[in-house]
């Protein structure tokens, strides 16, 4: 630790310790992690750059309010168990969030070093460094004594997990109901192994069992259980609905139902959840395209394109209606994808998929676009260029143009939905039903992991306050 | 884990499992389905409920061995467990009162049976047409015979049992005679398609239970999408029953065949000892 007169003085002029990334030509051929994380030396060097602000801006940028300067100080003091415990006060999934949060818009975006022209502290890398030490240092947060109240959490994605963890620590008896065979929601079926290893997701979710949280898998709430049963027969005092926005949107163009045309949810679920990359060791198959075209410009499109490369595609084209500048994907993800060999085709829009002789998709007809006036989102609207049609060979197509509300949104309990099928809930997650809270993508539409977690935490606080009254303080 | 309480073998390749699933048994309806994953390496595959009993806490499904997963399942015995069983999924079959014709083709007979029985139990007149390529592929014949049906008609393509020919010949007669006023069909695509064409000719309402490939079964992947009346629908949440006259059958058949090559690879891999069930 850099000391001046016995007091800590940050090495804030030093450049940020770079991430340890596997070279693009190696990693693009396998599903191993792209970023292998900081070593202890890296973490100590990076932690020494932190100014240890009295009024830390970074904490304000974190949707779950992790005490960032404290855990970084604990890294400097090489008390990793304490650092992990500090994070876990606010966040039960540090290994996940350290990897997948868009830190540039959150904690790191708020880091004061940005204003001095220096690199912000690599908060995500440091959080992940501690999270990945869980097995060696332990650190299960202490729970309050049981308060006798039961809460059902529907959905085991980031929002449900955050809510369940926070409630368990308050002494609630919590059961998480999950439709799939395993927990994690989009962390498990959506985000690929090379960005977020599934063993880590499982370990962090299983960590909630140490807090006494129970999990019931293969349980489609709304079909297998309903709200009346939860409240009347099973004795639940409240329910948190975090069922996500998993219903895929389609392009609605001819040929979209041809074999070989996937929506990203299916493509990624086959690979991430069902391990189709290891077919036939695993039973679920996937199509290995030679010429793969992915439609969209978000993180899901990046994940699909990079997955296609790893499945052995000769060429992967990312077709987007606007330009790279307007892409909603994280800059780092686009950069990774291009480094690995994904070709980005800007200002194009698909018109039709055509089948080959075998009945499978063989090519896609596209047209060029140009940017017109800004639309309601503030981005310039793509406008078609007359007579600009052209074709691309395409034996696997993946559409990643967004998702809609889960169709099971209100089947489990009577709650008001808005016109797009999302649950109406206030800032505390309260819905029109006094026993039901909701949060995450099923309220906001598709957003980020950490925002969903923030909503889960907020709802947990509101549930505690409502069910326990003043005892919650 | 879901314990197999009872295993029944109907023919060389057709089996029924009774599985302990008390909560599911309370919620199941005719026409709904469940998703099964046999073990850690397994895929998720859909089966329609054959029966259920809320008092005794079990559900049943019938399957025919046609590939790797159904072969794996067929090797399990009473007392063994299935790793994941999820359901009930999909919309229940709509059972309007009336004079019904239930058509089952091949392994689709396993789905036709609970629908016919539920219709009978609800007090409807029901005629069943059973169809198969040959006598050996007819399943549940005894069970159908035990139902109080108006009529039970059997057809085989080769004439080895019942009428020689396909199900549409007796269907056409029933339509001509005004003996029925609605039809439910389940089986291979050509059978459902030609049943729909026959019914269309007579303005006879017909519902078909579609069987596209599924992955999650809860509406989040669109693998099971089908074109009905020109619109894309998800069979797992909007169906699996649809107005058969509105279904794009070519589209369904093409999508069903998406993984034929891979299905073959999976089976070969298993037979070469790649599957732990055989080691």
């Amino acid at each position: 630790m850099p000391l001046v007169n016995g007091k800590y003085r940050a090495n804030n002029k030093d450049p940020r310790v770079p991430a340890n990334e596997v070279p693009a030509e190696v990693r693009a051929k396998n599903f191993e992690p792209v970023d292998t994380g900081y070593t202890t030396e890296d973490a100590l060097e990076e932690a020494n750059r932190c100014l240890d602000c009295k009024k830390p801006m970074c904490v304000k940028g974190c949707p779950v309010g992790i005490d960032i300067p404290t855990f970084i100080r604990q890294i400097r003091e090489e008390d990793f168990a304490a650092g992990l415990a500090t994070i876990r006060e606010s966040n039960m999934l540090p290994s996940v969030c350290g990897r997948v949060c868009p830190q540039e818009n959150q904690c790191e975006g708020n880091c004061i070093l940005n204003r001095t022209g220096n690199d912000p502290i690599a908060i995500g890398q440091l959080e992940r460094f501690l999270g990945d030490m869980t097995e060696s240092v332990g650190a299960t947060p202490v729970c309050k004594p049981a308060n006798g109240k039961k809460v059902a959490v529907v959905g085991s994605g980031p929002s449900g997990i955050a809510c369940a963890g926070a409630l368990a620590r308050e002494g609630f008896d919590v059961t998480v109901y999950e439709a799939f065979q395993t927990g994690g929601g989009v962390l498990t079926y959506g985000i690929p192994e090379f960005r977020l290893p599934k063993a880590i997701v499982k370990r962090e979710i299983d960590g909630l069992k140490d807090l006494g949280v129970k999990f019931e898998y293969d349980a489609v709430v709304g079909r297998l259980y309903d709200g009346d049963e939860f409240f009347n027969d099973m004795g639940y005092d409240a329910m948190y609905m975090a069922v996500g926005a998993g219903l895929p949107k389609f392009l609605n163009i001819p040929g979209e139902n041809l074999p070989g045309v996937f929506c990203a949810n299916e493509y990624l679920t086959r690979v991430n959840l069902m391990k189709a990359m290891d077919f036939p060791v695993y039973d679920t198959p996937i199509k290995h395209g030679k010429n793969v075209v992915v439609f969209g410009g978000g993180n899901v499109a990046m994940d699909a394109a990079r997955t296609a490369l790893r499945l052995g595609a000769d060429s992967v084209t990312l077709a987007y209606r606007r330009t790279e500048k307007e892409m909603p994907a994280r800059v780092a993800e686009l950069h990774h994808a291009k480094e690995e060999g994904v070709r980005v085709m800007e200002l194009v829009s698909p018109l039709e998929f055509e089948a080959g002789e075998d009945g499978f998709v063989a090519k896609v007809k596209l047209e060029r676009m140009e940017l017109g006036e800004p639309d309601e989102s503030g981005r310039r609207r793509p406008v078609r260029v007359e007579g600009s049609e052209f074709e691309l060979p395409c034996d696997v197509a993946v559409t990643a143009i967004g998702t809609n509300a889960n169709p099971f949104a209100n089947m489990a309990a009577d709650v008001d939905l808005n016109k797009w099928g999302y649950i109406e809930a206030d800032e505390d997650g309260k819905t029109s039903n006094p026993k039901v809270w909701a949060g995450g993508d099923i309220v906001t539409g598709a957003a980020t992991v950490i925002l969903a977690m923030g909503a889960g935490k907020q709802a947990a606080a509101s549930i505690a306050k409502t069910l326990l009254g003043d005892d919650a303080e | 884990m879901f314990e197999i309480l009872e295993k029944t073998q109907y023919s060389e390749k057709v089996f029924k499992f009774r599985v302990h699933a008390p909560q599911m048994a309370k919620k199941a309806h005719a026409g709904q389905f469940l998703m099964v994953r046999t073990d850690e390496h397994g895929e998720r595959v859909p089966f329609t409920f054959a029966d259920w009993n809320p008092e005794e806490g079990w559900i049943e499904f019938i399957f025919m061995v046609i590939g790797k997963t159904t072969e794996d399942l067929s090797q399990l015995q009473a007392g063994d467990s299935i790793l994941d069983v999820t359901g009930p999924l999909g919309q229940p079959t709509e059972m309007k009162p009336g004079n019904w014709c239930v058509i089952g083709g091949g392994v689709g007979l396993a789905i036709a049976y609970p629908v016919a029985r539920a219709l009978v139990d609800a007090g409807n007149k029901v005629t069943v047409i059973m169809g198969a390529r040959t006598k050996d592929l007819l399943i549940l014949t005894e069970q159908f015979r035990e139902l109080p049906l108006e009529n039970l008609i059997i057809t085989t393509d080769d004439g080895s049992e019942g009428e020689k020919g396909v199900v549409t010949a007796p269907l056409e007669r029933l339509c001509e005679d005004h003996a029925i006023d609605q039809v439910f069909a389940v089986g291979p695509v050509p059978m459902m398609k030609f049943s729909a064409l026959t019914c269309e000719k007579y303005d006879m309402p017909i519902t078909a239970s579609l069987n596209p490939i599924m992955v999650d079964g809860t509406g989040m992947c669109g693998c099971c999408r089908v074109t009905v009346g020109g619109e894309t629908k998800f069979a797992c949440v909007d169906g699996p029953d649809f107005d058969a006259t509105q279904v794009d059958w070519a589209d369904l058949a093409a999508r069903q065949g998406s993984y034929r090559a891979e299905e073959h690879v999976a089976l070969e891999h298993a037979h070469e000892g790649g599957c732990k069930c055989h080691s």
Side-chain angles (χ1 to χ4, degrees):
Chain A
M1 198 186 309
L3 297 175
V4 174
N5 298 332
K7 285 177 84 176
Y8 169 66
R9 165 98 50 96
N11 295 334
N12 55 305
K13 301 285 186 211
D14 287 358
R16 173 200 276 238
V17 177
N20 292 307
E21 290 179 358
V22 178
E25 61 277 16
V26 176
R27 68 178 194 242
K29 294 186 174 64
N30 65 46
F31 283 86
E32 300 298 314
V34 163
D35 177 344
T36 55
Y38 275 177
T39 62
T40 302
E41 293 71 39
D42 293 337
L44 290 173
E45 192 184 333
E46 183 64 16
N48 281 336
R49 297 177 60 239
C50 174
L51 290 173
D52 200 11
C53 301
K54 286 245 158 39
K55 288 182 180 164
M57 299 299 291
C58 54
V59 178
K60 289 203 174 76
C62 172
V64 296
I66 298 173
D67 184 353
I68 295 165
T70 299
F71 88 70
I72 294 182
R73 191 178 67 239
Q74 287 160 332
I75 292 177
R76 277 199 301 274
E77 292 163 356
E78 297 186 49
D79 190 350
F80 302 130
L84 184 55
T86 299
I87 296 177
R88 288 193 155 206
E89 286 294 317
S90 315
N91 179 6
M92 286 298 291
L93 307 178
S95 288
V96 169
C97 292
R99 284 173 171 83
V100 304
C101 276
Q103 288 102 0
E104 66 273 22
N105 305 327
Q106 297 176 333
C107 54
E108 294 179 18
N110 271 20
C111 174
I112 199 79
L113 291 184
N114 288 306
R115 296 203 201 156
T116 62
N118 294 296
D119 303 327
I121 301 296
I123 299 165
Q125 285 279 0
L126 294 175
E127 179 186 24
R128 167 188 167 171
F129 168 76
L130 288 176
D132 288 359
M133 294 190 117
T134 299
E135 267 147 39
S136 48
V137 303
T140 301
V142 183
C143 296
K144 289 187 186 167
N147 61 34
K149 303 277 185 189
K150 282 177 76 173
V151 183
V153 172
V154 183
S156 71
S159 200
I161 290 298
C163 185
L167 287 170
R169 299 195 49 214
E170 285 296 319
F172 287 89
D173 177 354
V174 184
T175 303
V176 178
Y177 291 85
E178 167 58 46
F180 271 149
Q181 65 251 20
T182 185
V186 76
L187 305 175
T188 297
Y189 73 74
I191 302 177
E193 185 76 19
F194 54 84
R195 279 217 288 140
L196 181 62
K198 300 310 141 206
I200 282 172
V201 177
K202 186 171 187 321
R203 192 202 71 218
E204 295 216 316
I205 289 173
D206 284 352
L208 268 79
K209 290 183 190 164
D210 300 339
L211 305 180
V213 174
K214 287 163 276 188
F215 286 84
E216 196 173 320
Y217 294 115
D218 295 320
V220 183
V221 173
R223 292 282 196 216
L224 194 61
Y225 297 102
D226 57 48
D228 285 348
E229 270 175 308
F230 274 144
F231 299 129
N232 301 336
D233 308 337
M234 295 157 82
Y236 284 106
D237 299 290
M239 181 196 281
Y240 181 59
M241 303 267 294
V243 297
L247 183 74
K249 285 183 193 168
F250 282 91
L251 296 163
N252 295 316
I253 60 173
E256 189 160 23
N257 291 348
L258 287 172
V261 182
F262 295 85
C263 88
N265 268 10
E266 181 190 349
Y267 193 70
L268 293 171
T269 297
R270 283 179 178 273
V271 176
N272 299 332
L273 179 72
M274 305 307 295
K275 302 189 167 51
M277 71 282 215
D278 292 330
F279 176 86
V281 174
Y282 284 81
D283 293 342
T284 304
I286 183 82
K287 286 290 165 199
H288 296 251
K290 279 195 171 64
N291 298 299
V292 180
V293 185
V294 178
F295 300 90
N299 289 318
V300 177
M302 302 301 150
D303 286 343
R306 297 171 72 194
T307 296
L309 274 182
R310 286 161 172 79
L311 291 173
D314 293 341
S315 90
V316 177
T317 305
L318 195 78
Y320 185 53
R321 296 190 305 155
R322 293 182 164 102
T323 72
E324 277 184 22
K325 251 190 0 219
E326 289 84 21
M327 279 188 182
R330 289 180 72 187
V331 173
E333 298 304 328
L334 174 63
H335 175 73
H336 278 141
K338 286 166 75 173
E339 251 183 4
E340 290 166 9
V342 171
R343 173 171 70 147
V344 177
M345 191 176 270
E346 299 176 315
L347 294 165
V348 291
S349 180
L351 292 170
E352 183 174 4
F353 294 104
E354 285 179 32
E357 276 176 17
D358 59 1
F360 284 74
V361 67
K363 59 185 177 188
V364 57
K365 198 183 285 176
L366 302 115
E367 66 182 345
R368 307 249 176 230
M369 312 295 278
E370 57 190 14
L371 292 183
E373 294 300 307
D375 63 12
E376 59 277 8
S377 76
R379 297 182 301 174
R380 292 175 65 193
R381 190 192 302 273
V383 186
R384 35 196 306 253
V385 178
E386 293 293 337
S388 64
E389 291 180 17
F390 68 104
E391 287 177 354
L392 279 182
C394 165
D395 53 359
V396 163
V398 184
T399 61
I401 55 165
T403 54
N404 287 319
N406 185 314
F408 290 82
N410 67 340
M411 281 181 55
D414 187 17
V415 292
D416 288 349
L417 304 182
N418 69 19
K419 63 178 170 175
W420 299 283
Y422 294 100
I423 297 176
E424 300 257 23
D426 69 11
E427 279 180 3
D428 287 334
K430 287 183 173 166
T431 69
S432 59
N433 183 328
K435 286 189 170 178
V436 180
W437 280 254
D441 287 1
I442 192 55
V443 171
T444 59
T448 63
V449 166
I450 193 68
L451 284 174
M453 292 182 68
K457 230 182 134 179
Q458 186 81 19
S462 173
I463 291 169
K465 201 167 165 211
T466 305
L467 295 188
L468 304 177
D470 293 339
D471 298 346
E473 299 311 315
Chain B
M1 300 285 274
F2 295 78
E3 191 192 347
I4 299 167
L5 301 172
E6 228 176 85
K7 179 185 186 181
T8 310
Q9 183 161 11
Y10 290 119
S11 68
E12 192 200 348
K13 292 196 164 179
V14 178
F15 300 86
K16 182 174 79 180
F17 279 156
R18 176 175 291 182
V19 176
H20 180 70
Q23 182 64 22
M24 215 180 300
K26 282 199 252 173
K27 296 296 170 73
H29 290 93
Q32 288 186 303
F33 65 95
L34 49 95
M35 301 290 300
V36 164
R37 190 173 69 128
T38 317
D39 56 45
E40 275 301 332
H41 288 235
E43 60 180 339
R44 294 166 64 95
V45 288
F47 297 108
T48 304
F49 287 103
D51 201 0
W52 54 91
N53 186 319
E55 284 76 38
E56 295 174 13
W58 49 258
I59 57 100
E60 289 182 342
F61 64 93
I62 296 170
F63 63 95
M64 180 183 254
V65 176
I66 50 167
K68 161 79 166 60
T69 296
T70 43
E71 190 171 282
D72 285 354
L73 276 173
S74 72
Q75 314 224 337
L76 298 175
Q77 307 301 333
D80 291 342
S81 286
I82 300 172
L83 187 55
D84 299 290
V85 182
T86 313
L89 297 167
Q91 306 295 335
T93 296
E94 205 185 327
M95 305 235 166
K96 278 180 254 165
N99 294 337
W100 282 80
C101 172
V102 173
I103 308 174
V107 74
L109 286 161
I111 302 166
Y113 173 68
V115 172
R117 197 190 50 186
L119 285 168
V120 168
D121 288 349
N124 298 293
K125 288 185 175 174
V126 179
T127 296
V128 168
I129 306 176
M130 298 175 65
R133 278 207 316 280
T134 181
K135 183 182 168 182
D136 296 343
L137 297 175
L138 287 167
I139 56 170
L140 302 172
T141 316
E142 287 316 306
Q143 284 74 5
F144 278 109
R145 285 205 171 109
E146 281 165 20
L147 292 178
L149 299 174
E150 280 297 291
N151 200 354
L152 177 67
I153 303 164
I154 296 176
T155 69
T156 48
D157 295 6
D158 63 359
S160 53
E161 175 134 5
E163 291 181 36
K164 183 173 174 11
V166 292
V167 297
T168 45
L171 175 61
E172 184 134 20
R173 288 202 304 271
L174 291 165
C175 291
E176 284 279 357
D177 299 348
H178 303 286
I180 52 172
D181 48 39
Q182 45 210 321
V183 178
F184 174 89
V186 57
V189 165
M191 188 221 87
M192 292 192 284
K193 173 184 165 181
F194 286 102
S195 298
L197 290 174
T198 304
C199 285
E200 217 172 353
K201 212 161 74 181
Y202 294 93
D203 228 357
M204 175 71 64
I206 173 167
T207 303
S209 174
L210 305 189
N211 46 359
I213 301 174
M214 291 187 183
V215 180
D216 68 288
T218 63
M220 59 144 278
C221 86
C223 180
C224 69
R225 62 193 189 272
V226 290
T227 311
V228 182
E231 278 180 56
T232 294
K233 300 276 184 191
F234 289 5
C236 71
V237 290
D238 301 320
D241 293 356
F242 292 98
D243 176 349
T245 63
Q246 297 298 307
V247 172
D248 183 334
W249 298 105
D251 186 274
L252 176 62
R255 291 188 61 78
Q256 277 181 344
S258 298
Y259 293 96
R260 211 142 274 158
E262 288 82 356
E263 284 160 13
H264 193 69
V265 170
L267 204 53
E268 274 194 346
H269 176 78
H271 290 166
E272 283 163 9
C275 158
K276 61 191 178 310
C277 326
H278 297 264
S279 60

